[in-house]
Amino acid sequence: MSIAQASRRVLLSGASTLAAIAFIAPGIAAAQTDTGQAPGVRPDTPVEANTTSAAEQGAPRDQAASPTTQNNSPAPADDSNEDIIVTGLRSSLQRNLDIKRTATGVVDAISAEDIGKFPDSNVAASLQRLPGVSIQRSGARGEPTGITVRGFGGDFNTTLYDGRRIATGTGGRQIDFSTVGSDFIGQLSVLKTPDVTLASSAIGATVDIQFAKPFDRPGFRVATSASGSIQDRAGKVVPTLGALVSDTFANDTIGILSSFVYTRRDTDTNRVYVSGWPGGFYAPCQLTAACTDAQLAQANKTVVGWFPQQYGAEQQRTKDERYDGRVALQWHPSDAVMVTLDNNFSRQSITTDIYGFGVWFNQSDLRNVQLDDNGTAVNFTQAGSPTDFTAAHNRQVLQTNQTGLNVKYDATENLTLEADGAYAKSWLNPGGVVGSSNGDIGYGGNLGTTLGFNISGDSNKAFPTLSNYGPAGSAADWANPALIGSHVTVVQTQKNTDVLKQLRAAATWKQDGLTLKAGGQYVDDTFRFQNASTFTNNFWQAYSGYGAPSGRGGGVSPLPSSLYQGSISLNNFISGFKGSLPPSVFIYSPAAYQAYLTSLGNPQAQNVPGFNYGAVNGFTGTFDQAVDPNSILRVNEKTWSLFFSAAFDAEIASMPFHLAVGVRNENTHLSATGQGTVPLTITRSTTDPTLLTIGFSPAQQVVNKSDYSYLLPTLDLRLEVTDKLQLRFDASRTLTRPTLNLLNPVLGIGSGQRVNALSGSGGNPNLKPFLADNFDVAAEWYYQRNSYIAVDFFLKNVSNFIVGGVTRQTVNGVIDPTTGQPAVFSITQQVNGPDATVRGVEIAWQQVFGDSGFGFQANATFVNTNKPYDQSNISQSGFAVTGLANSANFVGFYDKNGFQIRAAANWRDEYLAQFGQNQNTGSFGAEPTFVNQSFQVDLTSSYDISRNLSVFGEILNLNNNKQSTHGRFKNQLLDVFDYGRRYTAGVRYRF
């Protein structure tokens, strides 16, 4: 046996082990998972999605990719161009260009530079390089987790794996892009106009992620990578390891590909926050130092204004671990048949430890209030303010498995038949995972202080300043353990599952410039939601009150010195921002805090000093979670679709003309089942007057069913005016289904509430989808190889917008003990409402400077709407289109002689992200959340030591960009996250 044969045998043995891991690992959470996969746009082939025949699908990439060549050979030069194109980044850009140029609709693509080498370490980070695409980041990690396309984000975009929908346990319909490993992706395609044979359920765009398969590159292939990364504050190098093995054998009739990737990211992020800016009315006396009870009567509150509900700062220490496994088996017994069986598995575990402080404000308690011209409280004092030191240990596990079978058969020279079946399941926090364990200690009551609050600038450059902080105003005792006692502790876990079954069949006829395609699809999607917490059973306030130093009957003080594990300085906490914070926060374990309280004994069997007798019932010493009946939700959607498309090639005045028409009919049957309760009692805590407990009626099941059907047509025209200039016109209708949590058929009132902050939310299972009529007019000039300029004007008329407001209403006549009157809750509800128009222009320019190795990509998107946000509207039903922002991207690169360096700059203007803040208790509807303007620079580089071995490096957020958000007005800071830079270095080996 030769060395090569022995190596092959060892590697294939490893591949079988990886296959076993990918197939067996889902058993961690559940017994059975079957899924499937339908092919999308071929990674290196400039053809329309889902039109490849079985023979084409089995062709090697280097035969299919005519615009470029492999193995570092120059592409054949044409008569008009003598540029030389090689593999690597420039080769990838050329493939992307050819896909865009020949696509029937408006499509942008990103191709792998080589097997195991995608341009970015995060899928969303790659997508933001495309015109019209922006990203949303996780503030705590700085990781791109979602995308916005032409102003539409989240559920407005559909993400497919090789042409298939993927289950997601996140609670929404969109995927979290940080859960998608990019290491062995073949290509990303962003379809901004729909392909009816894939889907029409995306008003923004359809993103098709195409994974590598054995017959993409026949023969024996191996790709491995290893790297280490470190973030500014985390101070620890953490690894990423990946391997892919692929081979075809039995005379190239059987192929197997297996890959496995382990990724870890550690991030320490500093955060300053205001949990919400509720709007309401002040009494005129609150603008002075003192008020009488009569002056504070509701009838006297006439001054419109906003105030911060809670203010604080914290450090979040996050460990993000992800395992990705993939197995693909292909059988190609003849040119006419291709059978593909594959399995995709991923498991992401995010563990976050949080240490911070928080102070709570009530609008009626504010004095010396100074309001700016907009009504924002920029300066005030509050007597008796408590201070809380918080700690949390959060864990979120998201596991997804998809298995599927695709069969493609060339029945005749012209006719191709395809069948595809898939089963996918996704779990959020499977098994015994505890989602969040929180500790809250501090001082209040007799030690409450007349706290001062001041705003000195806008949210993108300043955070508020506190004055007169500390127990009874003593700054020196800010973190004095002798004065600190127990307060509340919360344990809660959200558990979701999403089971998705899909079947698809299609027939394609190709002959003499005519392509016809017809078929159908069935999708059965079942989502289940459930939340358990110590709010439900009221155990969260078992030892509230802060203890004896605060003069409270409840709470334990002092706490054991062993509980404190150090501190974090808040000096220069957010660099570059004005504002000042108290000196420090404690580091302590919520689990140890809860264990100490549990060690005090069973308060039902003995007298335990500090226990909140009279307000907490059934507590026997352990902080057990209880399922919230209002959180139980099951949503089942069954959708039947029929589609037909026809594409024609013709000429107009000797100019090649391409016409494609299509139609998709979707029929959806929806069933939503929830658990309904109503409040019966409200009890005020005797140990902490700000805490309220709600008593509920027994739960009853509530079921609602609805149906809807829509016809979704498309029209795509492409005229090749010259061999370098082409014009496009595209028209289509698309839809986006409502967010899942909005479909709950019951009104939910949380069990843990605060004084003057009673709230709830109501679902609406009869919500209809958003509908959009879309139009594109574009001109594209491909003036030389690997270079082009494109301008695309787009317009979207969107109807059935789902709007919600916060209405203040009584529920079941329950009495508020703080007023003696029927309790008034702020209830958030949604209905289908107004229409809106979104319009804009995308400009893209790609330029490669001959064979110099230098080049750049630049694009900009300008977008607006006829329904912008009106800051002055304080009605309950304010409406605006969210997500719209101008954006621009620039990527400059050098790629030659095995050396590559690339700098990417991404800018996005301020935009309205959503209606709703962490606290939604105001009188003027759901307050908005705006994301401030951002600009980030990333740098990547690599060097090929040999044909098979290369080294690479990456610096993310080179300019140390911060992410910040604000409320209705720019000085209403909601969040500022400082997640720092990340440095990565590694090696790749492939043959």
Side-chain angles (χ1 to χ4, degrees), residues 681-706:
T681 61
I682 302 179
T683 305
R684 190 171 192 173
S685 172
T686 57
T687 57
D688 187 342
T690 69
L691 302 181
L692 299 173
T693 301
I694 314 294
F696 293 96
S697 67
Q700 292 185 341
Q701 189 176 85
V702 179
V703 180
N704 188 282
K705 296 184 178 181
S706 61

mmCIF file of all heavy atoms in Angstrom, residues 681-706:
data_model
loop_
_atom_site.group_PDB
_atom_site.id
_atom_site.type_symbol
_atom_site.label_atom_id
_atom_site.label_comp_id
_atom_site.label_asym_id
_atom_site.label_seq_id
_atom_site.Cartn_x
_atom_site.Cartn_y
_atom_site.Cartn_z
ATOM 1 N N THR A 681 -56.061 39.014 41.782
ATOM 2 C CA THR A 681 -55.614 39.834 42.903
ATOM 3 C C THR A 681 -54.270 40.472 42.591
ATOM 4 O O THR A 681 -53.495 39.967 41.776
ATOM 5 C CB THR A 681 -55.451 38.993 44.187
ATOM 6 O OG1 THR A 681 -54.465 37.978 43.961
ATOM 7 C CG2 THR A 681 -56.779 38.341 44.583
ATOM 8 N N ILE A 682 -54.011 41.612 43.238
ATOM 9 C CA ILE A 682 -52.696 42.245 43.206
ATOM 10 C C ILE A 682 -52.297 42.520 44.648
ATOM 11 O O ILE A 682 -53.054 43.159 45.398
ATOM 12 C CB ILE A 682 -52.692 43.554 42.397
ATOM 13 C CG1 ILE A 682 -53.153 43.307 40.960
ATOM 14 C CG2 ILE A 682 -51.299 44.176 42.391
ATOM 15 C CD1 ILE A 682 -53.203 44.564 40.115
ATOM 16 N N THR A 683 -51.105 42.045 45.039
ATOM 17 C CA THR A 683 -50.626 42.206 46.414
ATOM 18 C C THR A 683 -49.324 42.991 46.408
ATOM 19 O O THR A 683 -48.428 42.718 45.613
ATOM 20 C CB THR A 683 -50.378 40.840 47.065
ATOM 21 O OG1 THR A 683 -51.569 40.051 46.968
ATOM 22 C CG2 THR A 683 -49.998 40.996 48.525
ATOM 23 N N ARG A 684 -49.245 43.976 47.313
ATOM 24 C CA ARG A 684 -48.028 44.772 47.431
ATOM 25 C C ARG A 684 -47.096 44.142 48.460
ATOM 26 O O ARG A 684 -47.523 43.689 49.526
ATOM 27 C CB ARG A 684 -48.368 46.202 47.854
ATOM 28 C CG ARG A 684 -47.191 47.176 47.766
ATOM 29 C CD ARG A 684 -47.667 48.596 47.997
ATOM 30 N NE ARG A 684 -46.634 49.566 47.654
ATOM 31 C CZ ARG A 684 -46.829 50.882 47.631
ATOM 32 N NH1 ARG A 684 -48.030 51.375 47.920
ATOM 33 N NH2 ARG A 684 -45.853 51.703 47.309
ATOM 34 N N SER A 685 -45.808 44.086 48.134
ATOM 35 C CA SER A 685 -44.833 43.498 49.034
ATOM 36 C C SER A 685 -44.694 44.353 50.289
ATOM 37 O O SER A 685 -44.615 45.583 50.209
ATOM 38 C CB SER A 685 -43.477 43.365 48.337
ATOM 39 O OG SER A 685 -42.489 42.959 49.254
ATOM 40 N N THR A 686 -44.662 43.697 51.442
ATOM 41 C CA THR A 686 -44.483 44.423 52.700
ATOM 42 C C THR A 686 -43.022 44.799 52.930
ATOM 43 O O THR A 686 -42.732 45.700 53.717
ATOM 44 C CB THR A 686 -44.976 43.564 53.876
ATOM 45 O OG1 THR A 686 -44.261 42.317 53.868
ATOM 46 C CG2 THR A 686 -46.464 43.293 53.758
ATOM 47 N N THR A 687 -42.113 44.094 52.266
ATOM 48 C CA THR A 687 -40.686 44.357 52.479
ATOM 49 C C THR A 687 -40.092 45.281 51.437
ATOM 50 O O THR A 687 -39.042 45.874 51.656
ATOM 51 C CB THR A 687 -39.906 43.037 52.475
ATOM 52 O OG1 THR A 687 -40.137 42.360 51.232
ATOM 53 C CG2 THR A 687 -40.352 42.145 53.625
ATOM 54 N N ASP A 688 -40.715 45.368 50.283
ATOM 55 C CA ASP A 688 -40.259 46.276 49.237
ATOM 56 C C ASP A 688 -41.484 46.878 48.574
ATOM 57 O O ASP A 688 -42.167 46.225 47.781
ATOM 58 C CB ASP A 688 -39.408 45.550 48.199
ATOM 59 C CG ASP A 688 -38.787 46.514 47.191
ATOM 60 O OD1 ASP A 688 -39.277 47.656 47.077
ATOM 61 O OD2 ASP A 688 -37.821 46.136 46.510
ATOM 62 N N PRO A 689 -41.826 48.116 48.882
ATOM 63 C CA PRO A 689 -43.076 48.716 48.392
ATOM 64 C C PRO A 689 -43.163 48.858 46.875
ATOM 65 O O PRO A 689 -44.232 49.183 46.358
ATOM 66 C CB PRO A 689 -43.084 50.101 49.064
ATOM 67 C CG PRO A 689 -42.140 50.000 50.194
ATOM 68 C CD PRO A 689 -41.108 49.009 49.788
ATOM 69 N N THR A 690 -42.050 48.641 46.144
ATOM 70 C CA THR A 690 -42.116 48.774 44.681
ATOM 71 C C THR A 690 -42.546 47.476 44.002
ATOM 72 O O THR A 690 -42.817 47.476 42.806
ATOM 73 C CB THR A 690 -40.754 49.196 44.106
ATOM 74 O OG1 THR A 690 -39.821 48.116 44.237
ATOM 75 C CG2 THR A 690 -40.221 50.424 44.801
ATOM 76 N N LEU A 691 -42.591 46.357 44.766
ATOM 77 C CA LEU A 691 -42.888 45.051 44.173
ATOM 78 C C LEU A 691 -44.365 44.709 44.306
ATOM 79 O O LEU A 691 -44.989 44.946 45.344
ATOM 80 C CB LEU A 691 -42.049 43.963 44.838
ATOM 81 C CG LEU A 691 -40.530 44.123 44.803
ATOM 82 C CD1 LEU A 691 -39.860 42.947 45.492
ATOM 83 C CD2 LEU A 691 -40.038 44.252 43.378
ATOM 84 N N LEU A 692 -44.918 44.113 43.240
ATOM 85 C CA LEU A 692 -46.310 43.677 43.223
ATOM 86 C C LEU A 692 -46.378 42.214 42.804
ATOM 87 O O LEU A 692 -45.574 41.764 41.983
ATOM 88 C CB LEU A 692 -47.147 44.516 42.259
ATOM 89 C CG LEU A 692 -47.241 46.024 42.551
ATOM 90 C CD1 LEU A 692 -47.964 46.730 41.417
ATOM 91 C CD2 LEU A 692 -47.950 46.269 43.879
ATOM 92 N N THR A 693 -47.356 41.500 43.355
ATOM 93 C CA THR A 693 -47.583 40.105 42.992
ATOM 94 C C THR A 693 -49.000 39.963 42.456
ATOM 95 O O THR A 693 -49.954 40.453 43.077
ATOM 96 C CB THR A 693 -47.396 39.180 44.203
ATOM 97 O OG1 THR A 693 -46.072 39.343 44.709
ATOM 98 C CG2 THR A 693 -47.595 37.714 43.817
ATOM 99 N N ILE A 694 -49.155 39.279 41.324
ATOM 100 C CA ILE A 694 -50.450 39.080 40.699
ATOM 101 C C ILE A 694 -50.929 37.663 40.971
ATOM 102 O O ILE A 694 -50.183 36.698 40.796
ATOM 103 C CB ILE A 694 -50.380 39.302 39.174
ATOM 104 C CG1 ILE A 694 -49.591 40.583 38.847
ATOM 105 C CG2 ILE A 694 -51.775 39.369 38.576
ATOM 106 C CD1 ILE A 694 -50.224 41.845 39.302
ATOM 107 N N GLY A 695 -52.185 37.523 41.393
ATOM 108 C CA GLY A 695 -52.818 36.214 41.529
ATOM 109 C C GLY A 695 -53.741 35.968 40.350
ATOM 110 O O GLY A 695 -54.475 36.862 39.921
ATOM 111 N N PHE A 696 -53.709 34.746 39.798
ATOM 112 C CA PHE A 696 -54.419 34.454 38.551
ATOM 113 C C PHE A 696 -55.492 33.390 38.721
ATOM 114 O O PHE A 696 -55.449 32.563 39.649
ATOM 115 C CB PHE A 696 -53.427 33.979 37.485
ATOM 116 C CG PHE A 696 -52.455 35.026 37.029
ATOM 117 C CD1 PHE A 696 -51.188 35.106 37.603
ATOM 118 C CD2 PHE A 696 -52.803 35.937 36.054
ATOM 119 C CE1 PHE A 696 -50.290 36.065 37.182
ATOM 120 C CE2 PHE A 696 -51.913 36.908 35.635
ATOM 121 C CZ PHE A 696 -50.650 36.975 36.204
ATOM 122 N N SER A 697 -56.412 33.397 37.775
ATOM 123 C CA SER A 697 -57.408 32.334 37.664
ATOM 124 C C SER A 697 -56.746 31.083 37.106
ATOM 125 O O SER A 697 -55.646 31.161 36.550
ATOM 126 C CB SER A 697 -58.535 32.774 36.735
ATOM 127 O OG SER A 697 -58.037 32.896 35.398
ATOM 128 N N PRO A 698 -57.377 29.911 37.232
ATOM 129 C CA PRO A 698 -56.833 28.707 36.585
ATOM 130 C C PRO A 698 -56.741 28.891 35.073
ATOM 131 O O PRO A 698 -57.529 29.629 34.459
ATOM 132 C CB PRO A 698 -57.844 27.612 36.961
ATOM 133 C CG PRO A 698 -58.526 28.130 38.189
ATOM 134 C CD PRO A 698 -58.585 29.624 38.030
ATOM 135 N N ALA A 699 -55.746 28.227 34.453
ATOM 136 C CA ALA A 699 -55.529 28.351 33.003
ATOM 137 C C ALA A 699 -56.557 27.539 32.229
ATOM 138 O O ALA A 699 -56.950 26.446 32.648
ATOM 139 C CB ALA A 699 -54.122 27.886 32.647
ATOM 140 N N GLN A 700 -56.966 28.074 31.109
ATOM 141 C CA GLN A 700 -57.856 27.370 30.190
ATOM 142 C C GLN A 700 -57.272 27.436 28.789
ATOM 143 O O GLN A 700 -56.712 28.454 28.385
ATOM 144 C CB GLN A 700 -59.259 27.995 30.189
ATOM 145 C CG GLN A 700 -60.014 27.806 31.492
ATOM 146 C CD GLN A 700 -61.431 28.335 31.408
ATOM 147 O OE1 GLN A 700 -61.753 29.131 30.535
ATOM 148 N NE2 GLN A 700 -62.273 27.890 32.324
ATOM 149 N N GLN A 701 -57.393 26.344 28.044
ATOM 150 C CA GLN A 701 -56.853 26.297 26.693
ATOM 151 C C GLN A 701 -57.702 27.140 25.747
ATOM 152 O O GLN A 701 -58.932 27.109 25.801
ATOM 153 C CB GLN A 701 -56.799 24.856 26.195
ATOM 154 C CG GLN A 701 -56.047 24.689 24.882
ATOM 155 C CD GLN A 701 -55.927 23.249 24.446
ATOM 156 O OE1 GLN A 701 -56.833 22.714 23.816
ATOM 157 N NE2 GLN A 701 -54.809 22.605 24.794
ATOM 158 N N VAL A 702 -57.002 27.898 24.907
ATOM 159 C CA VAL A 702 -57.670 28.737 23.908
ATOM 160 C C VAL A 702 -57.105 28.372 22.538
ATOM 161 O O VAL A 702 -55.883 28.372 22.346
ATOM 162 C CB VAL A 702 -57.443 30.241 24.184
ATOM 163 C CG1 VAL A 702 -58.128 31.086 23.120
ATOM 164 C CG2 VAL A 702 -57.924 30.607 25.575
ATOM 165 N N VAL A 703 -57.984 28.024 21.580
ATOM 166 C CA VAL A 703 -57.554 27.603 20.252
ATOM 167 C C VAL A 703 -58.168 28.536 19.210
ATOM 168 O O VAL A 703 -59.350 28.884 19.295
ATOM 169 C CB VAL A 703 -57.979 26.149 19.952
ATOM 170 C CG1 VAL A 703 -57.509 25.732 18.555
ATOM 171 C CG2 VAL A 703 -57.420 25.200 21.007
ATOM 172 N N ASN A 704 -57.357 28.946 18.258
ATOM 173 C CA ASN A 704 -57.855 29.783 17.163
ATOM 174 C C ASN A 704 -57.288 29.263 15.853
ATOM 175 O O ASN A 704 -56.100 28.935 15.771
ATOM 176 C CB ASN A 704 -57.450 31.247 17.381
ATOM 177 C CG ASN A 704 -58.107 32.171 16.379
ATOM 178 O OD1 ASN A 704 -57.688 32.269 15.237
ATOM 179 N ND2 ASN A 704 -59.145 32.866 16.810
ATOM 180 N N LYS A 705 -58.129 29.203 14.810
ATOM 181 C CA LYS A 705 -57.698 28.748 13.491
ATOM 182 C C LYS A 705 -58.025 29.808 12.447
ATOM 183 O O LYS A 705 -59.025 30.519 12.558
ATOM 184 C CB LYS A 705 -58.384 27.433 13.127
ATOM 185 C CG LYS A 705 -58.016 26.284 14.055
ATOM 186 C CD LYS A 705 -58.651 24.972 13.608
ATOM 187 C CE LYS A 705 -58.233 23.825 14.529
ATOM 188 N NZ LYS A 705 -58.812 22.526 14.095
ATOM 189 N N SER A 706 -57.153 29.907 11.459
ATOM 190 C CA SER A 706 -57.381 30.865 10.377
ATOM 191 C C SER A 706 -56.744 30.342 9.101
ATOM 192 O O SER A 706 -55.890 29.448 9.135
ATOM 193 C CB SER A 706 -56.809 32.246 10.733
ATOM 194 O OG SER A 706 -55.410 32.166 10.938
#
